[in-house]
Amino acid sequence: MIIIDSCFHPAATISQELLPILSHALPSVISYTLPSERVVQGNAEGSRIVARHSSSSTLSEGTLDTIEDAITRGKGDDDPRLPVTASREEGRENDNNSSETIEETELFLKRVAASSYAHKSWTDMRRTLVYLRTEVRFYNEIAPLLLAANDGSNNHDNDDDDDDEDDVATRTTTLRNHLPVVHHADYDLTGLIPEDCPTTDAEQASPFLKNNGGDNNNNDDAIDDDNDMELRKNRLLQNKGGHILLQSLSPSHGYFQDSPLSPFQSSKCLAAVAELHASAWGDEGLLRTIGDRLSTAGGSYQLSFRNPRELRELVESWDGFRARFATIGGGGGEGDVVVVDILEKESVVRLGRRVYDMAEYVSKELTPEAGDEYATMVHGDYKAMNVFLPSESTREGNKDAIMIDFSCAGIGYGMSDVGMHIVHAVLPRDLDNGGEERLVEGYLVALENAVNRRRRRRRRSYTCCLDIVLLWRRRMRDSGSFQKIHVDGGGFQSQSSNALGRFFNLL
């Protein structure tokens, strides 16, 4: 039985609401405290939770551990990523009048309440809800498949050689070590997004309109002549949304986030995402499942599930941006105004139009089919703040970079994650003098090793991946460094070669 203790933690503002969720991780949870700080993003909110529970309650194994039988590995009590006990209190009596220990465990809860986004247009609200659905499905359905495939047990031939036996633990733990422990993940979008509705259906009819089966191309500004539309909207949004209950990755648990990252930190992140890419590389059946349950177009940048208005208004938005930042300063007098000359360069003036003209082509080129060569599972939003890194004190230990926020995951090209990460996470000066090449080379080596590890049971070397690495190195020798665009004396300077672009041409 769950006991509500509202006086032990007077700072707790919610006495009961989250207990059913927390009980999935700690069945004997008694109460909890919500620290004052929260993580509020455009599509979700998150908070650390300190849960108070009896010592008879041990942490549940979590969503990802439901595949224990498939990957022949249980999670031991010494798992370094398990949330640790924060404090203990002796002397609480249970129903048998025996004393038991009261412990506190820190967890992290990510929540999406659909009603919190009622102010958004339906297209934008839908994307928020699809993000939630995709991430929950990733943890509940796809991650177990990836881990099982990583073991070579997904329709692979078995091998009884002794030297394979010692390698099983390495293969089954590598990807797992880069994923958070998830204790519970669930969503309810009934009446909003049908379960079989594709992620990429950005023009799905608004469920709030009276005639929601009609033409909905302009649903952002559609007006329902039914004056009860707002009531219908509130009714549909009530109690809809979902949550993800994860391990805590706070500094007290040996992890941190930062942006920008050093080259060393970035290399850790790229090694982690290489394991993700390798887990589905070349597996058409698995990729079809990923496309069906997550998205056929992985990536936050994909036009297929963004608001079409964003592209329609892109040129106008860019012109407005230029106008707002044409000058800097002005607070202390006319002499303090600085004109930003670079925004008046012809190529920059036309940037909005240039991006508009290329957007659909680029989005299409970065959307492979499940059976296409080099197609794989991608994270889709691999910026610095979607990775937790082990702190300096644990760098030499057995902790790895942990990826979070799989809300944009789906089918794609692994290099999309690499390119997005480097652009978002690393300072330009750290990419000069071969810095960018070293990061990409390190990723390719990690990808080669991970895929070969996954395929070893088949006794087939992964020559395709090796060929990519060899081609990459050959192109690097032939063409020099990457193209870098940077400000030099008030203007853009572009180096002549573009090895990364040539690599994409291989795709």
Side-chain angles (χ1 to χ4, degrees), residues 2-22 29-34 49-52 111:
I2 295 177
I3 302 173
I4 302 172
D5 186 350
S6 59
C7 62
F8 182 80
H9 289 300
T13 58
I14 305 176
S15 62
Q16 185 175 2
E17 179 186 1
L18 302 181
L19 290 178
I21 296 176
L22 296 177
V29 62
I30 301 168
S31 62
Y32 59 89
T33 302
L34 288 171
I49 294 181
V50 179
R52 185 170 177 252
R111 302 183 75 191

Side-chain angles (χ1 to χ4, degrees), residues 26-263:
L26 298 162
S28 66
V29 62
I30 301 168
S31 62
Y32 59 89
T33 302
L34 288 171
S36 58
E37 68 274 9
R38 290 187 303 160
V39 178
V40 180
Q41 299 177 320
N43 297 294
E45 293 188 7
S47 177
R48 292 186 301 111
I49 294 181
V50 179
R52 185 170 177 252
H53 58 95
S54 70
S55 58
S56 61
S57 177
T58 57
L59 279 165
S60 66
E61 293 180 330
T63 300
L64 297 187
D65 290 294
T66 59
I67 60 152
E68 178 178 314
D69 292 337
I71 64 173
T72 64
R73 174 186 179 265
K75 180 166 57 182
D77 293 335
D78 58 346
D79 188 328
R81 297 185 294 120
L82 282 175
V84 298
T85 297
S87 64
R88 295 187 177 185
E89 176 191 357
E90 302 289 346
R92 180 178 182 270
E93 292 187 356
N94 59 22
D95 293 338
N96 297 322
N97 296 323
S98 60
S99 179
E100 63 180 13
T101 301
I102 303 301
E103 300 181 352
E104 289 184 347
T105 297
E106 184 178 288
L107 301 167
F108 187 86
L109 180 65
K110 178 176 181 178
R111 302 183 75 191
V112 176
S115 58
S116 298
Y117 306 96
H119 62 282
K120 290 188 174 186
S121 67
W122 164 244
T123 306
D124 290 334
M125 184 194 301
R126 180 190 184 278
R127 187 168 75 246
T128 294
L129 301 178
V130 163
Y131 283 158
L132 165 69
R133 186 181 75 170
T134 297
E135 187 167 19
V136 171
R137 285 180 173 181
F138 172 80
Y139 288 126
N140 288 348
E141 304 175 29
I142 302 303
L145 295 178
L146 296 176
L147 292 171
N150 212 35
D151 181 36
S153 60
N154 189 20
N155 297 325
H156 292 178
D157 295 331
N158 290 325
D159 193 319
D160 296 326
D161 286 355
D162 292 338
D163 57 351
D164 266 351
E165 184 108 6
D166 294 335
D167 195 44
V168 168
T170 302
R171 287 201 307 277
T172 58
T173 61
T174 302
L175 178 61
R176 173 192 288 271
N177 287 350
H178 295 296
L179 299 177
V181 175
V182 179
H183 298 288
H184 192 252
D186 196 13
Y187 66 86
D188 180 6
L189 303 179
T190 305
L192 298 173
I193 304 177
E195 275 294 281
D196 59 352
C197 185
T199 297
T200 53
D201 185 10
E203 296 189 358
Q204 175 199 342
S206 170
F208 310 133
L209 300 179
K210 185 176 182 180
N211 180 18
N212 63 3
D215 183 3
N216 199 49
N217 289 334
N218 298 313
N219 59 44
D220 286 345
D221 303 311
I223 299 177
D224 193 342
D225 58 3
D226 186 350
N227 57 14
D228 291 333
M229 184 186 71
E230 197 65 26
L231 292 175
R232 183 165 59 254
K233 181 178 183 179
N234 292 336
R235 185 178 68 252
L236 286 173
L237 294 180
Q238 186 177 10
N239 299 324
K240 296 301 188 296
H243 65 267
I244 303 172
L245 183 63
L246 310 99
Q247 69 176 113
S248 175
L249 295 169
S250 63
S252 62
H253 291 73
Y255 293 94
F256 73 99
Q257 289 177 298
D258 200 7
S259 184
L261 301 177
S262 69

Side-chain angles (χ1 to χ4, degrees), residues 392-409:
E392 294 294 320
S393 60
T394 59
R395 179 189 293 180
E396 302 303 325
N398 53 359
K399 291 190 176 183
D400 299 288
I402 295 182
M403 300 174 284
I404 62 168
D405 198 350
F406 290 86
S407 57
C408 298

Side-chain angles (χ1 to χ4, degrees), residues 344-363:
E344 300 304 318
K345 290 178 63 70
E346 181 181 359
S347 60
V348 178
V349 170
R350 296 183 58 252
L351 181 60
R353 172 59 60 179
R354 291 159 55 202
V355 173
Y356 176 86
D357 291 340
M358 292 293 294
E360 290 188 357
Y361 168 79
V362 171
S363 184

Side-chain angles (χ1 to χ4, degrees), residues 173-462:
T173 61
T174 302
L175 178 61
R176 173 192 288 271
N177 287 350
H178 295 296
L179 299 177
V181 175
V182 179
H183 298 288
H184 192 252
D186 196 13
Y187 66 86
D188 180 6
L189 303 179
T190 305
L192 298 173
I193 304 177
E195 275 294 281
D196 59 352
C197 185
T199 297
T200 53
D201 185 10
E203 296 189 358
Q204 175 199 342
S206 170
F208 310 133
L209 300 179
K210 185 176 182 180
N211 180 18
N212 63 3
D215 183 3
N216 199 49
N217 289 334
N218 298 313
N219 59 44
D220 286 345
D221 303 311
I223 299 177
D224 193 342
D225 58 3
D226 186 350
N227 57 14
D228 291 333
M229 184 186 71
E230 197 65 26
L231 292 175
R232 183 165 59 254
K233 181 178 183 179
N234 292 336
R235 185 178 68 252
L236 286 173
L237 294 180
Q238 186 177 10
N239 299 324
K240 296 301 188 296
H243 65 267
I244 303 172
L245 183 63
L246 310 99
Q247 69 176 113
S248 175
L249 295 169
S250 63
S252 62
H253 291 73
Y255 293 94
F256 73 99
Q257 289 177 298
D258 200 7
S259 184
L261 301 177
S262 69
F264 172 79
Q265 293 167 341
S266 178
S267 67
K268 298 270 285 187
C269 297
L270 292 175
V273 83
E275 296 290 343
L276 177 69
H277 297 160
S279 65
W281 193 285
D283 193 330
E284 183 176 350
L286 180 54
L287 287 174
R288 290 194 184 281
T289 300
I290 290 170
D292 179 56
R293 300 303 293 163
L294 303 185
S295 177
T296 56
S300 60
Y301 40 80
Q302 289 288 356
L303 297 181
S304 54
F305 75 109
R306 299 198 69 87
N307 192 331
R309 188 177 61 186
E310 294 180 25
L311 185 58
R312 292 197 304 265
E313 299 177 358
L314 191 149
V315 177
E316 181 182 350
S317 297
W318 174 246
D319 291 341
F321 174 86
R322 287 181 47 253
R324 285 193 298 273
F325 293 94
T327 58
I328 300 176
E334 188 175 330
D336 295 330
V337 177
V338 177
V339 177
V340 184
D341 294 332
I342 192 173
L343 293 179
E344 300 304 318
K345 290 178 63 70
E346 181 181 359
S347 60
V348 178
V349 170
R350 296 183 58 252
L351 181 60
R353 172 59 60 179
R354 291 159 55 202
V355 173
Y356 176 86
D357 291 340
M358 292 293 294
E360 290 188 357
Y361 168 79
V362 171
S363 184
K364 181 179 179 181
E365 289 297 300
L366 294 180
T367 311
E369 299 289 336
D372 287 353
E373 197 172 17
Y374 310 123
T376 190
M377 164 90 191
V378 296
H379 180 281
D381 194 21
Y382 205 53
K383 51 197 176 190
M385 297 308 288
N386 281 336
V387 188
F388 278 89
L389 290 160
S391 63
E392 294 294 320
S393 60
T394 59
R395 179 189 293 180
E396 302 303 325
N398 53 359
K399 291 190 176 183
D400 299 288
I402 295 182
M403 300 174 284
I404 62 168
D405 198 350
F406 290 86
S407 57
C408 298
I411 300 175
Y413 290 124
M415 270 294 177
S416 299
D417 282 339
V418 175
M420 183 176 191
H421 175 81
I422 289 176
V423 168
H424 276 262
V426 186
L427 291 173
R429 66 169 180 263
D430 290 327
L431 302 178
D432 290 332
N433 302 317
E436 190 168 4
E437 293 89 330
R438 285 190 292 272
L439 288 175
V440 177
E441 173 77 6
Y443 161 79
L444 291 170
V445 171
L447 177 65
E448 176 188 4
N449 291 339
V451 177
N452 277 331
R453 221 170 35 237
R454 179 178 177 239
R455 297 290 180 91
R456 196 165 295 156
R457 284 199 173 206
R458 289 181 172 180
R459 293 301 186 191
R460 285 181 4 202
S461 63
Y462 191 56

